Amino acid sequence: MSNALSKKKKKNNAFGYSMQEIFGIQQYARAQSNTDYLIKESLKNIKLISFQILHDKFGFGNKRIIRVENTINAYLDSVADVKLSTAELEYYMKSKCDISVTEEANKVPFRERFALVDRKVAPKSMQKAGQYLAASICNYFSLLGNCLKSQFKFSSRQIREVFEWIRYYINSLSGKYLDMVDVASVLYHECNYCDERFSGKFREI
């Protein structure tokens, strides 16, 4: 191969990768980004929903809501540090409360799960995205259920009631009878709690 052709090939193959390989890397990065978004956004929204339910149905105010948030964050830190696993949290819910968080999460209908995120999902990715969203709901149910049992002495019946209300709110989001701005507004005005995503939006009301 001549020097000229060799230089041309190197120029076309940036960093030594072929165009096909670069395209594959970009596709993977986009898929990973979408997965991260689905998980993070759905967890943020289901958290807000649970806070409103705890306020509306169980009388939680700012202090107890912050306590729930801090406890769940502590659980998440322990999971990140491999001191605790989501499987252990699920096992605790099953053994102490006779609640399968997987079964509770799977009661959210497939299409309703997508109400927890704003980003549109491509039709060919719907099945996988629906699984990720179900996993997010399941994980949050584990976190919340353990928090309510250990910190607030909720009974199994009360925890199931919270999960049922969460499913009802997701159904309302799916049917456009409710949106996350409504949820955030209630928490801001009645509990002095503001999600950073809505910071500054309710001051004028």
Side-chain angles (χ1 to χ4, degrees), residues 17-93:
Y17 293 106
S18 68
M19 291 304 295
Q20 184 176 3
E21 288 171 323
I22 291 172
F23 180 68
I25 292 168
Q26 290 172 336
Q27 281 189 313
Y28 174 81
R30 280 196 295 269
Q32 189 63 46
S33 174
N34 285 335
T35 299
D36 290 344
Y37 167 80
L38 288 172
I39 293 171
K40 291 177 181 177
E41 193 70 8
S42 59
L43 282 174
K44 287 178 181 178
N45 286 336
I46 199 171
K47 177 187 76 170
L48 281 189
I49 289 170
S50 71
F51 288 175
Q52 183 175 344
I53 290 165
L54 291 173
H55 168 66
D56 287 350
K57 309 302 178 184
F58 297 91
F60 277 42
N62 177 270
K63 288 183 179 180
R64 285 197 288 177
I65 285 175
I66 295 298
R67 187 175 162 195
V68 171
E69 183 172 49
N70 289 340
T71 301
I72 287 176
N73 287 341
Y75 286 152
L76 288 171
D77 288 342
S78 293
V79 170
D81 293 338
V82 200
K83 296 176 182 175
L84 184 69
S85 70
T86 53
E88 287 174 307
L89 290 170
E90 289 186 36
Y91 176 78
Y92 183 88
M93 289 302 299

Side-chain angles (χ1 to χ4, degrees), residues 101 185 196:
V101 290
S185 179
E196 60 184 11

